[in-house]
Amino acid sequence: MSKNGSLRSFLRNIYTYAFFNKLLLLMPVYAVFMQENGLSDIQLSLMFIILSAGTFLTQIPVTWTTNKLGAKAAIILGTFLKAVAFVLWLVWPNFFGFAIGMFLWGIEYAFYNVAFEGLLYDELRARHHQKIYAKVLGVRYNLQALGAALSAFGSLLMIFGYEWITIASLVSLGASAICIARIDIKSRLNAGHKVRKNNFIKLMRTGIKICGKTPCILLMFMLSLLVANVAYLDDYLSPIGVEIGLPVQFVGFIQFFILGCSVLGQTFAYRFERIKDWILYSIICAGGISFVLFAFFYSVAGVWALGLAYVLFSVVRVLLYSRFQDFIPSKYRSVILSLYSIGDNIIYIGTCLIIGLGGMLGSWRYSILLLGVILIGIGLWAVLFIRNKCEISDAPGTKSVKATLPITKA
């Protein structure tokens, strides 16, 4: 197969996987389903905390498993655990069944964050096309959003029962696993190899040292995590939709609208790779202000403010994560992505606690208001203290951090 043919085949499977992995008809209704089966607002937030705990508590063994089995096998294993979680909710719909299922789903996230994210970047690099990573990332996010948008119609299918919606979701997961299985691995980093325990521990320590001693990796690490999690309301869109007056069967439409806004931002994000840093960080402040505006209006008519926030944060998320990936040395990508996943879930747990606090005060609007204020603070911090310390080079996707890396032996 020619180089271009290999790239096209790889991207076709990546994009198809991204679509089917998000085409899950139960997504707009599972939170409502949990509450209909006895979960309170704070217990629902606890479910999302358990999901994150499942990710970061298993992140190190998941990273070890990924290095040993290879990226393909690790992603497929994670997909299987996710399918088990969905089946468990169906056959054991109570607090403990939901909790165990969320924990298993959290493990799948751990595999996804390390195996899939590493596979995508390193396989592009192995094909000498890492310079298009930001564009590929935007397309991938869009296809994920498309799959999630179509999933939003799952709420309309509640008339057929939760069982059929779950079965349809399992079929999509099977299709996503087939796409990953068809990928032709070019990078030896994704092929799987023997991993000695002592070497793996040294590798993790080295990854921590690299993050600590390389300013741009650490700064993009922190900023990308904060924006991605504090601005993430996706799991709560259905309960928010019900609270602002939408009937349960139509809550999928708020997800459809928000995902459309995400697609808009992600589609054109790569065109802003050359944007000045202070402008990029100012957009974070603007997104936070949009959160505050939605909390002020807090009605179906005011959803436009939340949509604007999602457009802005979709652009910022793609650009920050692309920069973060560019600074990571390939040899340590799986380890640093593992650390990123741990941080991702710790911050998400904090976000869930803030949202849960708002729910305890009597309305999700207070949660959104608090998140908006925090986002404004994050943007101001970036403008004042990060400024232009990590400006991109003249050639997108070709950054080098060799000059600032600590000299270590893995």
Side-chain angles (χ1 to χ4, degrees):
M1 183 181 292
S2 66
K3 290 184 178 180
N4 287 337
S6 175
L7 177 65
R8 285 195 297 270
S9 176
F10 170 70
L11 291 178
R12 184 165 55 248
N13 284 309
I14 285 292
Y15 291 153
T16 308
Y17 165 81
F19 174 76
F20 280 111
N21 191 49
K22 287 292 185 178
L23 183 61
L24 305 172
L25 294 176
L26 59 80
M27 291 304 291
V29 297
Y30 78 91
V32 176
F33 176 77
M34 289 179 177
Q35 292 200 299
E36 288 180 350
N37 281 274
L39 294 194
S40 65
D41 288 349
I42 191 63
Q43 286 178 323
L44 181 62
S45 284
L46 180 60
M47 288 298 114
F48 297 129
I49 291 173
I50 290 172
L51 184 148
S52 290
T55 301
F56 78 79
L57 290 177
T58 62
Q59 193 64 69
I60 291 178
V62 159
T63 305
W64 184 89
T65 302
T66 299
N67 287 340
K68 186 174 181 63
L69 298 180
K72 284 171 58 173
I75 297 169
I76 293 171
L77 175 58
T79 302
F80 173 75
L81 293 176
K82 188 175 182 178
V84 172
F86 293 168
V87 172
L88 189 61
W89 295 347
L90 183 62
V91 300
W92 196 17
N94 57 35
F95 179 87
F96 294 104
F98 294 142
I100 295 172
M102 279 293 198
F103 192 83
L104 292 175
W105 194 0
I107 299 175
E108 186 271 340
Y109 268 125
F111 276 113
Y112 179 91
N113 291 339
V114 173
F116 181 70
E117 298 291 357
L119 179 145
L120 176 55
Y121 192 94
D122 285 328
E123 287 300 315
L124 284 174
R125 171 166 284 182
R127 291 165 170 80
H128 308 292
H129 281 88
Q130 70 270 21
K131 62 182 178 296
I132 67 170
Y133 176 73
K135 184 174 183 179
V136 170
L137 199 63
V139 174
R140 183 195 110 197
Y141 284 160
N142 280 347
L143 287 169
Q144 288 175 326
L146 176 60
L150 293 176
S151 299
F153 293 105
S155 61
L156 297 176
L157 301 178
M158 282 294 287
I159 57 174
F160 298 111
Y162 189 79
E163 295 82 358
W164 287 103
I165 294 176
T166 300
I167 292 171
S169 299
L170 294 175
V171 171
S172 289
L173 287 178
S176 70
I178 292 172
C179 294
I180 291 297
R182 294 179 58 185
I183 291 177
D184 181 22
I185 296 295
K186 296 292 184 183
S187 171
R188 65 181 183 84
L189 297 171
N190 293 321
H193 52 278
K194 292 182 179 179
V195 183
R196 292 191 301 178
K197 183 177 180 180
N198 60 335
N199 284 346
F200 182 76
I201 293 174
K202 288 181 179 179
L203 199 62
M204 291 295 294
R205 289 174 179 170
T206 301
I208 294 173
K209 288 181 180 179
I210 290 173
C211 290
K213 294 185 178 181
T214 310
C216 286
I217 292 180
L218 182 60
L219 290 173
M220 290 301 103
F221 180 98
M222 294 173 60
L223 194 55
S224 182
L225 284 177
L226 288 169
V227 171
N229 286 281
V230 180
Y232 186 82
L233 282 176
D234 298 43
D235 293 328
Y236 294 88
L237 289 177
S238 294
I240 289 171
V242 171
E243 193 171 74
I244 62 177
L246 286 173
V248 173
Q249 64 267 34
F250 296 124
V251 294
F253 287 109
I254 189 173
Q255 293 190 338
F256 187 85
F257 172 71
I258 293 301
L259 287 167
C261 294
S262 295
V263 168
L264 181 62
Q266 290 158 184
T267 299
F268 299 103
Y270 77 97
R271 295 180 179 272
F272 298 96
E273 281 189 293
R274 315 304 304 168
I275 195 173
K276 293 291 185 181
D277 285 5
W278 71 268
I279 298 177
L280 180 62
Y281 304 148
S282 297
I283 294 174
I284 300 173
C285 294
I289 293 171
S290 296
F291 263 55
V292 172
L293 287 174
F294 176 63
F296 176 77
F297 292 109
Y298 205 61
S299 63
V300 175
V303 171
W304 66 267
L306 186 60
L308 176 60
Y310 264 74
V311 171
L312 297 176
F313 285 125
S314 294
V315 173
V316 173
R317 184 163 59 100
V318 169
L319 296 182
L320 288 178
Y321 193 74
S322 176
R323 293 185 184 191
F324 170 64
Q325 284 274 31
D326 278 332
F327 283 116
I328 302 175
S330 291
K331 182 178 179 180
Y332 302 104
R333 191 172 308 281
S334 66
V335 172
I336 293 177
L337 287 178
S338 178
L339 296 173
Y340 183 92
S341 180
I342 292 172
D344 182 55
N345 286 276
I346 290 174
I347 295 176
Y348 181 65
I349 286 175
T351 302
C352 288
L353 290 173
I354 293 171
I355 296 175
L357 174 62
M360 291 177 66
L361 293 174
S363 174
W364 299 116
R365 74 185 304 170
Y366 301 120
S367 308
I368 298 166
L369 177 62
L370 288 171
L371 294 178
V373 172
I374 293 171
L375 287 164
I376 293 171
I378 292 170
L380 290 174
W381 166 71
V383 169
L384 296 174
F385 297 102
I386 298 181
R387 292 181 289 186
N388 61 349
K389 292 180 181 179
C390 297
E391 281 190 318
I392 56 179
S393 63
D394 292 334
T398 59
K399 299 182 188 72
S400 173
V401 292
K402 291 181 180 178
T404 55
L405 285 179
I407 299 175
T408 55
K409 291 184 179 180

